[in-house]
């Protein structure tokens, strides 16, 4: 205002109430579109899980939607699966997102010992980027991470990570139950 620069120039007979309603509609519509896109990704994940697709397939759906590398670690912090976005190259050793790099793995495991409790029920910053817990029957079965150095996390990415964690947790539980049943069958 001190520089006399107008952000919006309106005609003198403009209906300010109508303009305010339209601006509010555009803002709400934008937020609704983000939620709708995230729900579509969740539906795709649920369909893939219902078709008995592997955890790697679920991670690939998340990686493709967010255009970021996605990693699942077990409850001890050992990497189980990783998915890269389409067309992405594997990160160079030592680079951000090189989840197979010994330093990154060590930093993540130390972080789990100190901060993992914060990841339960939410998305938190971790050495990999952003991480959330995979909970099965109120027990942490693993961790889902979106590998990124950008901050803050976009709302769409947060929603996809949250929705994805629910589906991945169910898939992880199903895989473990099958493995346990097979092991018991072999033992009998």
């Amino acid at each position: 205002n001190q520089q006399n620069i107008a952000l919006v120039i309106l005609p003198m007979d403009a209906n300010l109430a109508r303009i305010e309603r339209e601006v509010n509609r555009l803002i709400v519509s934008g937020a609704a579109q983000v939620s709708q896109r995230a729900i579509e990704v969740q539906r795709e994940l649920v369909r893939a899980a219902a078709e008995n697709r592997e955890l790697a397939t679920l991670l690939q759906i998340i990686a493709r939607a967010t255009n970021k590398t996605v990693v699942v670690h077990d409850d001890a912090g050992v990497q189980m699966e990783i998915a890269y976005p389409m067309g992405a190259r594997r990160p160079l050793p030592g680079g951000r997102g090189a989840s197979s790099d010994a330093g990154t793995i060590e930093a993540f495991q130390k972080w789990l010992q100190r901060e993992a409790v914060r990841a339960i029920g939410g998305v938190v910053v971790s050495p990999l980027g952003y991480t959330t817990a995979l909970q099965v029957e109120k027990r942490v079965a693993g961790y889902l991470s979106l590998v990124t150095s950008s901050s803050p996390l976009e709302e769409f990415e947060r929603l996809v990570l949250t929705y994805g964690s629910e589906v991945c947790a169910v898939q992880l539980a199903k895989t473990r139950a099958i493995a346990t049943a097979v092991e018991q069958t072999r033992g009998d």
Side-chain angles (χ1 to χ4, degrees), residues 13-93:
D13 62 341
N15 182 338
L16 292 179
R18 180 174 173 223
I19 292 170
E20 181 183 13
R21 280 193 306 274
E22 286 299 312
V23 168
N24 286 336
R25 184 186 62 79
L26 287 172
I27 291 170
V28 170
S29 176
Q33 287 176 355
V34 168
S35 293
Q36 183 62 36
R37 281 181 42 221
I39 289 170
E40 288 170 9
V41 172
Q42 181 187 33
R43 287 182 184 140
E44 186 177 357
L45 289 166
V46 169
R47 273 193 305 273
E51 293 171 357
N52 290 321
R53 299 290 175 95
E54 295 180 1
L55 184 61
T57 302
L58 301 178
L59 296 185
Q60 191 59 55
I61 292 168
I62 296 169
R64 189 176 56 239
T66 61
N67 201 31
K68 304 233 182 322
T69 301
V70 182
V71 184
V72 168
H73 291 87
D74 66 11
D75 56 340
V78 177
Q79 181 177 310
M80 296 174 63
E81 292 283 347
I82 187 166
Y84 298 96
M86 296 300 242
R89 293 182 175 202
R90 296 180 80 98
L92 296 172

Side-chain angles (χ1 to χ4, degrees), residues 75-76 103-120 124-128 143:
D75 56 340
T104 305
I105 292 170
E106 185 178 335
F108 184 74
Q109 288 176 340
K110 285 181 180 178
W111 175 84
L112 281 178
Q113 292 171 359
R114 291 187 324 266
E115 309 275 338
V117 173
R118 292 185 327 133
I120 298 172
V124 296
V125 177
S126 74
L128 295 176
Y143 298 91

Side-chain angles (χ1 to χ4, degrees), residues 111-183:
W111 175 84
L112 281 178
Q113 292 171 359
R114 291 187 324 266
E115 309 275 338
V117 173
R118 292 185 327 133
I120 298 172
V123 177
V124 296
V125 177
S126 74
L128 295 176
Y130 292 90
T131 300
T132 189
L134 300 176
Q135 289 186 276
V136 177
E137 297 178 354
K138 298 184 181 183
R139 184 179 79 66
V140 174
Y143 298 91
L144 177 66
S145 298
L146 199 61
V147 181
T148 181
S149 57
S150 65
S151 186
L153 190 64
E154 292 180 16
E155 181 65 9
F156 174 72
E157 295 169 338
R158 187 190 64 74
L159 288 171
V160 169
L161 193 58
T162 301
Y163 296 157
S165 69
E166 295 166 359
V167 179
C168 288
V170 170
Q171 186 67 15
L172 195 58
K174 185 167 67 171
T175 302
R176 286 183 178 174
I178 291 169
T180 301
V182 168
E183 189 176 305

